[in-house]
Amino acid sequence: QVQLVESGGGLVQAGGSLRLSCATSGSIFRVNAMGWYRQAPGKQRELVATIASGGSTNYADSVKGRFTISRDNAKNTVYLQMNSLKPEDTAVYYCRADILHSLLNIEYHYWGQGTQVTVSS
């Protein structure tokens, strides 16, 4: 079993900042890519940012220059620093981890339960 526990969401005014964390635990041999996704009401879940095990990153155009993804491999934890927040950033934010349970190169995708981020204008 693998658990992803997110924290750090909340209510913030436009222009403010929040930092999300997602800690992964359980039966883990290795954590490959980790990432953050979000889903606003009435919309599909979309990618926000991803980070590979080696540290390379990828961002949605809408958050480039404002959000920074990072990870602590020793803690199997991924972070999302969100600055200059806008009302359109309001959504439930989900973390995802791509995990190997053994030397068998079979990757499993796990999701967190989601954390609400609300940005008021």
Side-chain angles (χ1 to χ4, degrees):
Q1 291 287 349
V2 171
Q3 295 81 40
L4 276 66
V5 179
E6 298 147 344
S7 60
L11 173 64
V12 65
Q13 288 188 332
S17 298
L18 285 173
R19 187 184 191 225
L20 306 182
S21 299
C22 175
T24 303
S25 63
S27 178
I28 298 171
F29 174 72
R30 188 173 73 211
V31 181
N32 288 340
M34 303 182 81
W36 290 94
Y37 295 72
R38 66 187 182 187
Q39 187 167 17
K43 295 187 176 181
Q44 289 189 329
R45 190 173 297 187
E46 63 176 5
L47 179 147
V48 176
T50 61
I51 183 167
S53 57
S56 60
T57 58
N58 178 54
Y59 294 92
D61 288 343
S62 59
V63 306
K64 283 181 181 177
R66 300 188 297 122
F67 290 10
T68 302
I69 190 170
S70 61
R71 64 189 286 170
D72 183 333
N73 288 333
K75 297 181 180 180
N76 288 331
T77 298
V78 63
Y79 306 95
L80 186 68
Q81 178 66 43
M82 303 185 293
N83 299 328
S84 302
L85 282 160
K86 304 175 181 180
E88 52 263 42
D89 294 317
T90 295
V92 178
Y93 284 69
Y94 298 90
C95 69
R96 166 177 157 164
D98 300 339
I99 291 171
L100 301 182
H101 292 297
S102 70
L103 285 169
L104 292 173
N105 195 28
I106 301 173
E107 191 174 80
Y108 295 86
H109 310 306
Y110 293 91
W111 293 88
Q113 80 284 359
T115 185
Q116 177 71 45
V117 171
T118 303
V119 184
S120 62
S121 57

